Amino acid sequence: MLPNPCYILEEEKLRRNLALISDVSQRADIEIILAFKAYALWKSFPIFREYITHTTASSLYEARLAKEEFGSLAHTYSPAYTDEDIDEIASCSSHLTFNSLTQYQRFHERCKGVSLGLRVNPEYSEIETDIYNPCAPGSRFGILADQLPAQLPADIKGFHIHCHCESGSDVFARTLQHIEDKFSPWFPQLEWINFGGGHLMTRSDYDIPLLIDTLRAFHDRYPHLRLIMEPGSAFGWQTGPLVSKVVDIVENHGIRTAILNISFTCHMPDCLEMPYWPKVRGAETIEGTYGEGEHVYRLGSNSCLSGDWMESWRFDHELQIGEEIIFEDMCHYTTVKTCMFNGIHHPSIGILHTDGSFELYRQFGYEDYRDRMC
Protein backbone atom coordinates (compact mmCIF):
# COMPACT_ATOMS: atom_id res chain seq x y z
CA MET A 1 0.00 0.00 0.00
CA LEU A 2 1.30 3.47 -0.92
CA PRO A 3 1.67 6.06 1.85
CA ASN A 4 -1.03 8.72 2.11
CA PRO A 5 -0.61 11.62 1.60
CA CYS A 6 2.02 11.23 -1.11
CA TYR A 7 3.40 12.94 -4.19
CA ILE A 8 3.78 10.23 -6.82
CA LEU A 9 6.17 10.82 -9.71
CA GLU A 10 5.36 8.52 -12.64
CA GLU A 11 8.55 7.50 -14.45
CA GLU A 12 6.80 6.68 -17.73
CA LYS A 13 5.30 10.17 -17.96
CA LEU A 14 8.56 11.81 -16.91
CA ARG A 15 10.45 9.96 -19.64
CA ARG A 16 7.81 11.01 -22.16
CA ASN A 17 8.49 14.66 -21.34
CA LEU A 18 12.24 14.20 -21.33
CA ALA A 19 12.21 12.48 -24.72
CA LEU A 20 10.15 15.29 -26.23
CA ILE A 21 12.42 17.96 -24.77
CA SER A 22 15.53 16.15 -25.97
CA ASP A 23 14.05 15.87 -29.47
CA VAL A 24 13.27 19.60 -29.57
CA SER A 25 16.79 20.37 -28.38
CA GLN A 26 18.35 18.38 -31.20
CA ARG A 27 16.02 19.55 -33.97
CA ALA A 28 16.26 23.23 -33.00
CA ASP A 29 19.98 23.14 -32.14
CA ILE A 30 19.39 24.59 -28.68
CA GLU A 31 20.38 23.49 -25.20
CA ILE A 32 17.39 22.92 -22.90
CA ILE A 33 18.23 22.70 -19.20
CA LEU A 34 16.23 21.98 -16.07
CA ALA A 35 15.24 24.88 -13.80
CA PHE A 36 15.37 23.77 -10.18
CA LYS A 37 12.89 26.44 -9.10
CA ALA A 38 10.14 24.26 -10.57
CA TYR A 39 11.53 20.77 -10.04
CA ALA A 40 14.39 19.57 -7.83
CA LEU A 41 13.68 15.94 -6.88
CA TRP A 42 17.34 14.98 -6.96
CA LYS A 43 16.75 11.27 -6.50
CA SER A 44 15.25 11.28 -10.01
CA PHE A 45 18.30 12.99 -11.56
CA PRO A 46 19.77 9.72 -12.92
CA ILE A 47 16.75 9.57 -15.25
CA PHE A 48 17.24 13.20 -16.31
CA ARG A 49 20.93 12.65 -17.10
CA GLU A 50 19.93 10.20 -19.82
CA TYR A 51 18.37 13.12 -21.73
CA ILE A 52 19.95 16.43 -20.63
CA THR A 53 23.35 17.54 -19.34
CA HIS A 54 22.84 20.77 -17.40
CA THR A 55 20.55 22.61 -14.99
CA THR A 56 19.88 26.16 -13.89
CA ALA A 57 20.17 27.51 -10.35
CA SER A 58 19.00 30.67 -8.61
CA SER A 59 20.80 30.36 -5.28
CA LEU A 60 23.82 28.82 -3.60
CA TYR A 61 21.89 25.74 -2.52
CA GLU A 62 20.51 25.14 -6.02
CA ALA A 63 24.00 25.63 -7.50
CA ARG A 64 25.39 23.08 -5.06
CA LEU A 65 22.58 20.68 -5.97
CA ALA A 66 23.57 21.00 -9.63
CA LYS A 67 27.22 20.26 -8.94
CA GLU A 68 26.86 17.66 -6.22
CA GLU A 69 23.73 15.75 -7.23
CA PHE A 70 23.20 16.40 -10.95
CA GLY A 71 26.92 16.14 -11.63
CA SER A 72 27.47 19.27 -13.73
CA LEU A 73 28.07 22.96 -13.13
CA ALA A 74 24.99 25.18 -13.07
CA HIS A 75 23.78 28.01 -15.26
CA THR A 76 23.19 30.41 -12.38
CA TYR A 77 21.12 33.57 -12.11
CA SER A 78 20.14 35.39 -8.93
CA PRO A 79 18.50 38.81 -8.47
CA ALA A 80 21.37 39.63 -6.11
CA TYR A 81 24.50 37.82 -5.01
CA THR A 82 26.13 38.41 -1.64
CA ASP A 83 29.72 38.66 -0.44
CA GLU A 84 29.16 35.56 1.64
CA ASP A 85 27.93 33.36 -1.23
CA ILE A 86 29.48 34.59 -4.48
CA ASP A 87 32.74 32.61 -4.35
CA GLU A 88 31.06 29.28 -3.68
CA ILE A 89 28.32 30.00 -6.22
CA ALA A 90 30.97 30.75 -8.85
CA SER A 91 32.75 27.48 -8.05
CA CYS A 92 29.50 25.61 -8.74
CA SER A 93 28.68 27.46 -11.99
CA SER A 94 29.66 27.24 -15.64
CA HIS A 95 27.54 30.31 -16.47
CA LEU A 96 26.61 33.14 -14.13
CA THR A 97 24.22 35.95 -14.92
CA PHE A 98 24.09 39.30 -13.15
CA ASN A 99 20.79 41.11 -12.65
CA SER A 100 22.33 44.60 -12.70
CA LEU A 101 25.47 46.41 -13.76
CA THR A 102 26.24 47.23 -10.14
CA GLN A 103 26.20 43.52 -9.28
CA TYR A 104 28.48 42.86 -12.25
CA GLN A 105 30.93 45.58 -11.20
CA ARG A 106 30.97 44.34 -7.62
CA PHE A 107 31.52 40.64 -8.26
CA HIS A 108 32.77 39.85 -11.77
CA GLU A 109 36.42 39.74 -10.71
CA ARG A 110 35.53 36.93 -8.30
CA CYS A 111 34.03 34.78 -11.08
CA LYS A 112 37.12 33.90 -13.11
CA GLY A 113 36.67 30.97 -15.45
CA VAL A 114 32.88 31.34 -15.53
CA SER A 115 30.98 32.52 -18.62
CA LEU A 116 29.30 35.72 -17.45
CA GLY A 117 26.03 37.25 -18.63
CA LEU A 118 23.58 40.03 -17.93
CA ARG A 119 19.86 39.66 -17.45
CA VAL A 120 18.04 42.12 -19.68
CA ASN A 121 14.40 43.15 -19.60
CA PRO A 122 12.56 43.54 -22.94
CA GLU A 123 9.70 45.40 -21.21
CA TYR A 124 7.24 43.08 -22.95
CA SER A 125 5.41 40.04 -21.69
CA GLU A 126 2.03 38.42 -22.33
CA ILE A 127 1.77 37.04 -18.79
CA GLU A 128 -1.57 38.19 -17.39
CA THR A 129 -1.00 37.32 -13.71
CA ASP A 130 1.17 40.06 -12.20
CA ILE A 131 2.76 37.83 -9.57
CA TYR A 132 4.39 35.85 -12.41
CA ASN A 133 5.23 38.75 -14.74
CA PRO A 134 8.95 39.65 -14.60
CA CYS A 135 8.57 42.42 -17.20
CA ALA A 136 5.88 44.51 -15.51
CA PRO A 137 6.69 48.23 -15.04
CA GLY A 138 8.92 48.66 -12.02
CA SER A 139 10.10 45.03 -12.12
CA ARG A 140 13.27 44.29 -10.17
CA PHE A 141 14.41 41.86 -12.86
CA GLY A 142 16.91 42.77 -15.54
CA ILE A 143 18.57 45.72 -17.20
CA LEU A 144 16.62 47.92 -19.63
CA ALA A 145 18.00 48.56 -23.10
CA ASP A 146 18.57 52.26 -22.41
CA GLN A 147 20.64 51.34 -19.34
CA LEU A 148 23.19 49.26 -21.27
CA PRO A 149 26.47 50.75 -22.52
CA ALA A 150 27.02 50.59 -26.28
CA GLN A 151 30.11 48.48 -25.66
CA LEU A 152 29.60 45.67 -23.17
CA PRO A 153 32.34 44.73 -20.72
CA ALA A 154 34.81 42.36 -22.33
CA ASP A 155 33.96 39.45 -20.03
CA ILE A 156 30.20 39.58 -20.66
CA LYS A 157 29.44 36.69 -22.99
CA GLY A 158 25.65 36.37 -22.87
CA PHE A 159 22.18 37.76 -22.22
CA HIS A 160 19.56 36.10 -20.07
CA ILE A 161 15.93 36.99 -20.88
CA HIS A 162 12.92 35.62 -19.03
CA CYS A 163 9.38 36.79 -19.88
CA HIS A 164 7.19 33.66 -20.13
CA CYS A 165 5.02 31.55 -17.83
CA GLU A 166 3.48 28.31 -19.11
CA SER A 167 3.41 30.04 -22.50
CA GLY A 168 2.97 28.70 -26.02
CA SER A 169 5.40 28.96 -28.91
CA ASP A 170 3.22 31.65 -30.52
CA VAL A 171 3.87 33.83 -27.48
CA PHE A 172 7.59 33.15 -27.75
CA ALA A 173 7.57 34.08 -31.45
CA ARG A 174 5.92 37.42 -30.68
CA THR A 175 8.15 38.06 -27.69
CA LEU A 176 11.25 37.29 -29.71
CA GLN A 177 10.47 40.17 -32.04
CA HIS A 178 10.47 42.56 -29.08
CA ILE A 179 13.73 41.06 -27.82
CA GLU A 180 15.40 41.63 -31.17
CA ASP A 181 14.03 45.15 -31.48
CA LYS A 182 15.44 46.05 -28.06
CA PHE A 183 18.71 44.15 -27.90
CA SER A 184 19.95 43.01 -31.34
CA PRO A 185 22.55 45.84 -31.49
CA TRP A 186 24.44 43.98 -28.74
CA PHE A 187 24.13 40.50 -30.27
CA PRO A 188 27.46 40.70 -32.19
CA GLN A 189 29.23 41.11 -28.83
CA LEU A 190 27.68 37.96 -27.34
CA GLU A 191 28.35 34.23 -27.45
CA TRP A 192 25.06 32.97 -26.00
CA ILE A 193 21.47 33.94 -25.22
CA ASN A 194 19.36 32.24 -22.57
CA PHE A 195 15.64 32.62 -23.30
CA GLY A 196 14.70 31.62 -19.76
CA GLY A 197 11.78 29.48 -18.68
CA GLY A 198 8.03 29.35 -19.09
CA HIS A 199 8.14 27.51 -22.44
CA LEU A 200 5.55 24.78 -21.82
CA MET A 201 6.56 22.57 -24.73
CA THR A 202 5.22 19.36 -23.16
CA ARG A 203 1.64 20.64 -22.99
CA SER A 204 -0.55 18.73 -25.45
CA ASP A 205 -1.58 21.80 -27.46
CA TYR A 206 1.91 23.34 -27.66
CA ASP A 207 2.97 24.04 -31.24
CA ILE A 208 6.35 22.31 -31.39
CA PRO A 209 6.94 22.89 -35.14
CA LEU A 210 6.43 26.64 -34.64
CA LEU A 211 8.98 26.66 -31.82
CA ILE A 212 11.54 24.80 -33.89
CA ASP A 213 10.96 27.01 -36.95
CA THR A 214 11.24 30.15 -34.80
CA LEU A 215 14.52 29.01 -33.24
CA ARG A 216 15.99 27.88 -36.56
CA ALA A 217 15.14 31.24 -38.13
CA PHE A 218 16.82 33.00 -35.22
CA HIS A 219 19.89 30.79 -35.74
CA ASP A 220 19.94 31.82 -39.41
CA ARG A 221 19.97 35.49 -38.42
CA TYR A 222 22.56 35.09 -35.67
CA PRO A 223 24.54 31.91 -36.40
CA HIS A 224 27.29 32.73 -33.91
CA LEU A 225 24.95 32.64 -30.88
CA ARG A 226 24.45 29.52 -28.74
CA LEU A 227 20.84 29.33 -27.60
CA ILE A 228 19.61 28.10 -24.23
CA MET A 229 16.18 27.57 -22.69
CA GLU A 230 15.54 26.63 -19.07
CA PRO A 231 11.94 25.56 -18.55
CA GLY A 232 10.87 24.06 -15.27
CA SER A 233 7.21 23.15 -15.60
CA ALA A 234 7.77 21.51 -18.99
CA PHE A 235 9.87 18.77 -17.39
CA GLY A 236 7.46 17.95 -14.57
CA TRP A 237 4.24 18.70 -16.47
CA GLN A 238 1.57 16.06 -15.81
CA THR A 239 4.07 13.56 -14.43
CA GLY A 240 2.14 12.59 -11.33
CA PRO A 241 -0.44 13.45 -8.65
CA LEU A 242 -0.69 14.34 -5.00
CA VAL A 243 -2.75 11.63 -3.32
CA SER A 244 -4.69 12.62 -0.19
CA LYS A 245 -7.76 11.41 1.67
CA VAL A 246 -10.89 12.74 3.33
CA VAL A 247 -10.63 12.95 7.13
CA ASP A 248 -13.95 14.70 7.82
CA ILE A 249 -16.93 16.35 6.14
CA VAL A 250 -18.50 19.47 7.67
CA GLU A 251 -21.42 21.68 6.64
CA ASN A 252 -22.06 25.38 7.24
CA HIS A 253 -24.96 27.35 5.67
CA GLY A 254 -25.49 24.64 3.10
CA ILE A 255 -21.82 24.51 2.08
CA ARG A 256 -20.17 21.15 2.54
CA THR A 257 -16.40 20.98 2.98
CA ALA A 258 -14.39 17.80 2.72
CA ILE A 259 -11.45 18.25 5.07
CA LEU A 260 -8.33 16.53 3.73
CA ASN A 261 -5.06 15.37 5.25
CA ILE A 262 -3.11 17.87 3.10
CA SER A 263 -2.98 21.65 2.82
CA PHE A 264 -3.18 24.07 -0.09
CA THR A 265 -0.96 26.62 1.61
CA CYS A 266 1.61 23.99 2.66
CA HIS A 267 1.56 21.54 -0.24
CA MET A 268 -0.05 23.30 -3.24
CA PRO A 269 0.73 27.01 -2.67
CA ASP A 270 0.26 28.07 -6.31
CA CYS A 271 -3.40 27.16 -5.94
CA LEU A 272 -3.82 30.07 -3.55
CA GLU A 273 -1.12 32.41 -4.90
CA MET A 274 -1.91 32.40 -8.62
CA PRO A 275 -4.64 31.07 -8.26
CA TYR A 276 -4.07 27.85 -10.15
CA TRP A 277 -7.12 25.60 -10.23
CA PRO A 278 -6.12 21.97 -9.70
CA LYS A 279 -7.87 19.07 -11.35
CA VAL A 280 -9.23 16.39 -9.05
CA ARG A 281 -9.54 12.89 -10.45
CA GLY A 282 -13.17 11.85 -10.89
CA ALA A 283 -14.57 15.31 -10.16
CA GLU A 284 -15.89 18.23 -12.18
CA THR A 285 -14.34 21.63 -11.42
CA ILE A 286 -16.82 24.39 -10.59
CA GLU A 287 -14.78 27.58 -10.58
CA GLY A 288 -15.91 30.62 -8.66
CA THR A 289 -18.58 30.39 -6.00
CA TYR A 290 -19.87 27.26 -4.36
CA GLY A 291 -21.79 25.27 -6.93
CA GLU A 292 -25.30 23.99 -6.63
CA GLY A 293 -26.48 20.41 -6.96
CA GLU A 294 -25.69 17.05 -5.49
CA HIS A 295 -22.25 15.83 -4.44
CA VAL A 296 -20.68 19.30 -4.51
CA TYR A 297 -17.88 20.05 -2.03
CA ARG A 298 -15.33 22.60 -1.09
CA LEU A 299 -11.99 20.99 -0.41
CA GLY A 300 -10.30 22.22 2.73
CA SER A 301 -7.10 21.46 4.54
CA ASN A 302 -6.39 20.24 8.03
CA SER A 303 -4.55 23.47 8.96
CA CYS A 304 -5.78 26.31 11.14
CA LEU A 305 -5.50 28.93 8.37
CA SER A 306 -9.03 30.13 7.61
CA GLY A 307 -8.35 30.59 3.91
CA ASP A 308 -6.74 27.19 3.37
CA TRP A 309 -9.48 25.83 1.11
CA MET A 310 -10.77 26.06 -2.47
CA GLU A 311 -14.18 25.65 -4.05
CA SER A 312 -15.70 23.71 -5.54
CA TRP A 313 -15.87 20.27 -7.14
CA ARG A 314 -18.80 18.06 -8.14
CA PHE A 315 -18.32 14.34 -7.64
CA ASP A 316 -20.52 11.54 -8.95
CA HIS A 317 -21.14 10.19 -5.43
CA GLU A 318 -21.20 11.17 -1.79
CA LEU A 319 -17.72 11.43 -0.41
CA GLN A 320 -16.84 9.18 2.49
CA ILE A 321 -14.33 9.62 5.30
CA GLY A 322 -11.16 7.74 4.35
CA GLU A 323 -11.78 8.10 0.61
CA GLU A 324 -8.83 9.06 -1.59
CA ILE A 325 -8.80 12.49 -3.24
CA ILE A 326 -6.24 12.69 -6.03
CA PHE A 327 -4.95 16.07 -7.25
CA GLU A 328 -3.56 15.72 -10.76
CA ASP A 329 -0.32 17.24 -12.07
CA MET A 330 1.38 18.04 -8.77
CA CYS A 331 5.06 17.33 -9.46
CA HIS A 332 6.12 20.81 -10.58
CA TYR A 333 6.12 23.96 -8.44
CA THR A 334 4.88 21.91 -5.47
CA THR A 335 7.59 19.83 -3.84
CA VAL A 336 9.98 22.78 -4.24
CA LYS A 337 7.58 25.11 -2.40
CA THR A 338 6.16 23.00 0.39
CA CYS A 339 6.42 24.01 4.03
CA MET A 340 5.54 22.56 7.41
CA PHE A 341 3.32 25.40 8.61
CA ASN A 342 1.14 24.35 11.52
CA GLY A 343 3.02 21.07 11.76
CA ILE A 344 0.79 19.56 9.09
CA HIS A 345 1.95 16.07 8.13
CA HIS A 346 4.08 16.47 5.02
CA PRO A 347 3.27 14.18 2.07
CA SER A 348 5.72 11.44 1.31
CA ILE A 349 7.49 11.53 -2.05
CA GLY A 350 8.05 8.54 -4.30
CA ILE A 351 8.31 7.32 -7.87
CA LEU A 352 6.18 4.79 -9.70
CA HIS A 353 8.61 3.02 -11.98
CA THR A 354 7.77 1.82 -15.48
CA ASP A 355 7.69 -1.79 -14.25
CA GLY A 356 4.91 -0.91 -11.79
CA SER A 357 7.08 -0.96 -8.66
CA PHE A 358 6.98 1.96 -6.23
CA GLU A 359 10.14 3.46 -4.75
CA LEU A 360 9.73 5.67 -1.70
CA TYR A 361 12.08 8.62 -2.03
CA ARG A 362 11.34 10.07 1.38
CA GLN A 363 8.84 9.91 4.22
CA PHE A 364 8.66 12.87 6.60
CA GLY A 365 8.20 12.80 10.36
CA TYR A 366 8.18 14.89 13.50
CA GLU A 367 11.96 15.32 13.45
CA ASP A 368 11.76 17.10 10.07
CA TYR A 369 9.32 19.61 11.53
CA ARG A 370 11.29 20.04 14.75
CA ASP A 371 14.62 20.56 12.97
CA ARG A 372 13.16 23.22 10.67
CA MET A 373 11.83 25.10 13.65
CA CYS A 374 15.25 25.07 15.43
Side-chain angles (χ1 to χ4, degrees):
M1 178 179 292
L2 302 186
N4 189 307
C6 186
Y7 296 101
I8 299 176
L9 174 65
E10 299 179 46
E11 182 182 352
E12 182 177 357
K13 295 179 179 179
L14 177 63
R15 287 186 178 276
R16 174 200 62 199
N17 285 354
L18 286 164
L20 184 151
I21 289 169
S22 177
D23 181 64
V24 170
S25 175
Q26 295 174 31
R27 291 166 62 193
D29 190 19
I30 180 173
E31 184 173 18
I32 304 177
I33 61 181
L34 169 66
F36 285 158
K37 68 178 182 179
Y39 182 100
L41 294 179
W42 58 269
K43 288 188 176 180
S44 67
F45 287 173
I47 299 172
F48 278 77
R49 286 195 294 266
E50 297 178 30
Y51 300 87
I52 65 171
T53 57
H54 289 89
T55 60
T56 180
S58 301
S59 64
L60 171 58
Y61 293 164
E62 287 189 344
R64 284 189 58 182
L65 194 72
K67 182 179 180 181
E68 297 174 13
E69 301 298 341
F70 201 89
S72 62
L73 299 178
H75 293 237
T76 303
Y77 160 79
S78 175
Y81 302 102
T82 65
D83 279 312
E84 295 80 11
D85 291 347
I86 187 62
D87 296 326
E88 190 173 4
I89 285 177
S91 73
C92 295
S93 303
S94 61
H95 297 65
L96 190 146
T97 296
F98 294 102
N99 188 59
S100 69
L101 290 170
T102 54
Q103 280 268 299
Y104 163 78
Q105 292 160 0
R106 184 176 177 184
F107 293 123
H108 76 105
E109 291 289 348
R110 295 166 66 175
C111 301
K112 299 298 185 182
V114 180
S115 185
L116 302 182
L118 298 174
R119 178 161 177 171
V120 294
N121 187 329
E123 302 178 76
Y124 176 85
S125 174
E126 298 186 20
I127 300 172
E128 296 180 355
T129 304
D130 286 345
I131 193 174
Y132 293 112
N133 185 358
C135 299
S139 171
R140 71 189 189 280
F141 295 126
I143 304 165
L144 306 183
D146 60 12
Q147 297 172 330
L148 284 172
Q151 183 63 43
L152 296 173
D155 55 353
I156 289 298
K157 304 301 182 183
F159 278 172
H160 177 112
I161 306 163
H162 176 67
C163 43
H164 299 87
C165 178
E166 297 189 355
S167 302
S169 54
D170 57 326
V171 177
F172 174 63
R174 291 191 292 270
T175 304
L176 188 57
Q177 182 60 58
H178 289 266
I179 291 171
E180 290 189 67
D181 290 345
K182 289 280 188 180
F183 298 109
S184 59
W186 289 275
F187 287 177
Q189 303 177 48
L190 303 177
E191 296 178 359
W192 53 266
I193 292 183
N194 185 328
F195 289 122
H199 309 277
L200 194 48
M201 57 191 72
T202 52
R203 188 176 60 200
S204 60
D205 63 347
Y206 191 95
D207 191 339
I208 293 289
L210 175 60
L211 175 65
I212 292 172
D213 289 346
T214 300
L215 290 169
R216 283 177 172 172
F218 189 88
H219 270 302
D220 290 342
R221 295 192 294 276
Y222 310 101
H224 71 290
L225 289 175
R226 184 165 65 91
L227 305 184
I228 304 162
M229 284 181 168
E230 50 180 43
S233 292
F235 285 93
W237 186 255
Q238 295 184 343
T239 55
L242 170 58
V243 180
S244 66
K245 65 182 177 182
V246 179
V247 294
D248 197 11
I249 298 172
V250 298
E251 184 169 341
N252 185 328
H253 286 268
I255 296 174
R256 290 186 297 175
T257 300
I259 301 178
L260 310 178
N261 63 341
I262 48 85
S263 161
F264 289 103
T265 194
C266 295
H267 309 134
M268 298 178 281
D270 275 1
C271 295
L272 300 182
E273 290 176 4
M274 189 161 180
Y276 159 72
W277 209 276
K279 291 184 179 179
V280 173
R281 188 173 300 179
E284 173 191 0
T285 302
I286 307 172
E287 296 191 33
T289 58
Y290 184 79
E292 297 181 353
E294 291 185 331
H295 315 319
V296 174
Y297 299 86
R298 283 180 177 176
L299 297 179
S301 91
N302 202 16
S303 80
C304 293
L305 177 66
S306 297
D308 197 356
W309 57 271
M310 293 189 70
E311 64 181 8
S312 49
W313 284 266
R314 179 178 288 112
F315 293 80
D316 61 4
H317 62 281
E318 290 292 310
L319 294 183
Q320 303 296 319
I321 293 173
E323 180 173 347
E324 279 192 343
I325 300 294
I326 300 175
F327 291 89
E328 306 284 12
D329 193 20
M330 284 293 159
C331 287
H332 58 93
Y333 280 107
T334 47
T335 52
V336 292
K337 283 189 170 185
T338 59
C339 71
M340 299 186 107
F341 163 71
N342 219 173
I344 298 297
H345 190 86
H346 195 288
S348 301
I349 303 173
I351 183 170
L352 183 64
H353 288 297
T354 54
D355 63 4
S357 64
F358 178 78
E359 178 186 353
L360 182 65
Y361 278 166
R362 183 167 180 184
Q363 199 156 21
F364 298 85
Y366 164 71
E367 290 76 12
D368 298 292
Y369 169 72
R370 181 200 61 194
D371 293 346
R372 291 185 67 173
M373 299 302 109
C374 300

